[in-house]
Amino acid sequence: MNGLMTTKKHILLYNSNEPLPQQGGMERVTDLLAKALLNVGYEVTLLCKYSNRLGKIYNAPTDILYFPGNKDDRCFLETLVIERNIYCIIDQTEGGIVGRFGIFRHREDFKSKVKLIAVQHNSTRAILDNYNLAFAKDFTQTRCGILKQFFYDNVFLKLKYYHSVCLTKRLYSDLNTNYDRIVTLSSSFIEDFCFYCPKADRTKLFAIPNFNTFESCKKTAGQQYVLFVGRLRNCVKGVDKLLRIWNEVEDLFPDWQLDIVGDGEDRTILEIQAAKMGLKHVMFHGFQDPALFYQRSKIFCMTSIYEGFGMVLTEAMQHGVVPMAFNSYSSVTDIIDDNINGILVKPFDEKEYADKLVSLMSDENKYKKMSHASMAKSITFSKEIIVEKWCNLIENL
């Protein structure tokens, strides 16, 4: 891969949040990409706006700088690009450098001729297709609840949806105008981009998935654990759905446990929900290193309403943990081949999900076959394969 580079180019990798991996998927991806680009010979500087929200020390793999957070941000960036001879900026924030929410409003305002790469980490179309679920609220228990619910569902949400579609069209148009390359996580997202931006320059659009988190893995011990890893935010991750699914399963398998690893704003609500359901074999572990949980689990359950990629799926597959997910966003089929290396469920059919989970928990031979197939599929997302795609993109800007 080093042979791809004629000179040692300097890459500026921008993410608004400090890329402490425990914070979330985008931070983990940024940290991994910085390390990978350094390993193949690029110079890399990390740039962000905010320190991590967990209050932990981030051991950056290279220099990390922060915007001053005032009117000097433009001057700061222009000077940084010149002083460090930056070849290109990889913008992980989808328009945070140039655009209506960027440091510069228009490309011509950014006097530097540095190359710009925008990375899309989410499937906007999946969000919009499931808008009522993603932004659902329950007002029925409040005063005038029925009236409030009707107004929210039939007026507010529809206006919010229309506004989101218009904003998406403007954002994609800005990206198409201002950036030299636009990287999506799936070829299907290229079609989504063109759906909202029909005049998109397709030569700018590239699909590069996230690469595997772990360098090497111990295969799961295959103990009787079902696992969830992620942020506890129901309107995105659908963990409330997972608890309802587990409620249909738990009594049939009293020796199994559901591990929920992660934290978030809905943790208390979910713990109350589990208690009201009388669930006896659910453990909330908070923020933890998920590796130990992957190593002991058999099945990984994702119940997300939408995702960009879903790194937790490939993390599980690296360990031979069989993944299950709703077929609710297009890139999930890049990862899971249904009934071969994992299981896809019609969105958002909780009964079908429970039935398929019961079937997998009941059939040891099926589990073993899928476990081996999931590890084999994870090789598709090896760092070597994916980083080569990044090198080719950077060298051909």
Side-chain angles (χ1 to χ4, degrees):
M1 249 178 286
N2 286 329
L4 289 168
M5 289 178 283
T6 56
T7 59
K8 192 174 185 180
K9 296 182 173 70
H10 199 143
I11 311 300
L12 184 63
L13 189 51
Y14 172 63
N15 191 60
S16 57
N17 296 316
E18 190 178 71
L20 178 75
Q22 295 94 315
Q23 279 199 115
M26 193 181 297
E27 290 78 18
R28 191 156 67 252
V29 166
T30 303
D31 178 73
L32 288 169
L33 183 57
K35 292 174 180 174
L37 292 175
L38 284 165
N39 286 340
V40 295
Y42 290 105
E43 291 185 73
V44 178
T45 295
L46 286 165
L47 177 64
C48 53
K49 282 189 175 182
Y50 311 110
S51 298
N52 71 79
R53 62 179 178 269
L54 300 181
K56 295 185 177 182
I57 295 174
Y58 170 55
N59 296 313
T62 187
D63 287 351
I64 182 166
L65 302 174
Y66 301 84
F67 275 113
N70 52 40
K71 293 180 181 179
D72 293 331
D73 282 356
R74 289 186 176 192
C75 181
F76 175 85
L77 185 55
E78 292 271 19
T79 303
L80 177 63
V81 168
I82 294 169
E83 288 182 348
R84 300 209 173 194
N85 192 26
I86 301 296
Y87 171 71
C88 77
I89 300 175
I90 299 176
D91 178 4
Q92 299 276 58
T93 64
E94 198 173 320
I97 298 296
V98 180
R100 64 190 60 245
F101 304 115
I103 305 301
F104 298 92
R105 180 64 183 83
H106 303 286
R107 184 65 179 89
E108 54 267 27
D109 298 333
F110 194 178
K111 295 179 177 57
S112 170
K113 300 303 180 185
V114 65
K115 301 293 186 180
L116 296 177
I117 301 172
V119 185
Q120 286 193 289
H121 288 277
N122 274 313
S123 168
T124 304
R125 189 164 189 181
I127 299 172
L128 293 171
D129 285 349
N130 298 296
Y131 209 77
N132 288 345
L133 281 173
F135 295 96
K137 287 187 178 181
D138 183 8
F139 295 98
T140 57
Q141 304 304 314
T142 64
R143 187 179 180 185
C144 302
I146 295 175
L147 182 60
K148 287 181 180 178
Q149 194 71 56
F150 178 84
F151 179 82
Y152 184 81
D153 291 344
N154 295 282
V155 179
F156 180 79
L157 268 187
K158 288 183 178 180
L159 289 173
K160 189 175 174 68
Y161 171 82
Y162 177 74
H163 177 262
S164 296
V165 170
C166 292
L167 191 63
T168 297
K169 289 179 177 179
R170 290 197 296 269
L171 172 62
Y172 284 14
S173 178
D174 280 355
L175 290 176
N176 182 60
T177 299
N178 296 321
Y179 284 76
D180 299 286
R181 297 290 185 270
I182 301 159
V183 173
T184 70
L185 300 179
S186 168
S187 57
S188 62
F189 293 171
I190 292 177
E191 300 310 314
D192 292 348
F193 190 97
C194 294
F195 178 81
Y196 291 108
C197 183
K199 295 182 180 179
D201 180 353
R202 281 182 173 264
T203 64
K204 291 185 175 184
L205 295 163
F206 290 80
I208 304 179
N210 293 326
F211 55 83
N212 289 329
T213 301
F214 299 100
E215 291 283 350
S216 60
C217 297
K218 292 182 180 178
K219 188 184 182 305
T220 175
Q223 299 177 49
Q224 292 172 312
Y225 291 95
V226 174
L227 178 62
F228 168 89
V229 176
R231 187 175 177 185
L232 303 188
R233 188 180 180 209
N234 288 329
C235 65
V236 179
K237 304 299 183 181
V239 192
D240 53 337
K241 302 179 189 301
L242 178 56
L243 291 182
R244 291 194 293 271
I245 291 164
W246 185 251
N247 189 43
E248 301 299 315
V249 172
E250 185 181 78
D251 288 345
L252 300 173
F253 301 90
D255 296 330
W256 286 66
Q257 177 173 300
L258 171 62
D259 284 328
I260 296 178
V261 178
D263 216 325
E265 51 266 54
D266 289 334
R267 178 171 176 171
T268 300
I269 294 171
L270 289 164
E271 289 177 333
I272 292 170
Q273 179 185 348
K276 284 183 176 179
M277 288 179 170
L279 299 176
K280 302 179 182 65
H281 305 294
V282 176
M283 286 290 294
F284 290 85
H285 296 275
F287 281 119
Q288 300 285 339
D289 180 353
L292 297 175
F293 293 91
Y294 288 128
Q295 287 168 16
R296 76 181 190 183
S297 301
K298 278 190 171 183
I299 302 168
F300 185 90
C301 286
M302 174 185 278
T303 45
S304 296
I305 294 169
Y306 64 88
E307 290 280 349
F309 184 72
M311 288 181 68
V312 289
L313 294 177
T314 55
E315 288 176 356
M317 294 168 82
Q318 278 191 274
H319 292 83
V321 183
V322 179
M324 293 185 63
F326 286 124
N327 193 358
S328 57
Y329 63 102
S330 56
S331 67
V332 73
T333 56
D334 296 346
I335 302 170
I336 297 177
D337 302 301
D338 191 26
N339 288 317
I340 297 173
N341 47 48
I343 294 172
L344 294 174
V345 180
K346 181 175 68 179
F348 293 93
D349 192 327
E350 295 175 20
K351 184 181 184 307
E352 180 184 320
Y353 202 120
D355 290 344
K356 289 185 173 181
L357 180 56
V358 167
S359 175
L360 184 56
M361 293 169 73
S362 305
D363 191 334
E364 184 68 13
N365 289 331
K366 182 178 182 180
Y367 154 72
K368 286 181 178 178
K369 187 175 180 180
M370 282 191 169
S371 174
H372 288 296
S374 67
M375 290 192 79
K377 180 60 181 280
S378 72
I379 297 171
T380 307
F381 306 104
S382 69
K383 183 173 70 173
E384 292 74 19
I385 292 172
I386 305 304
V387 172
E388 186 167 358
K389 293 178 184 290
W390 272 107
C391 290
N392 285 326
L393 176 68
I394 291 167
E395 292 302 314
N396 289 287
L397 278 170

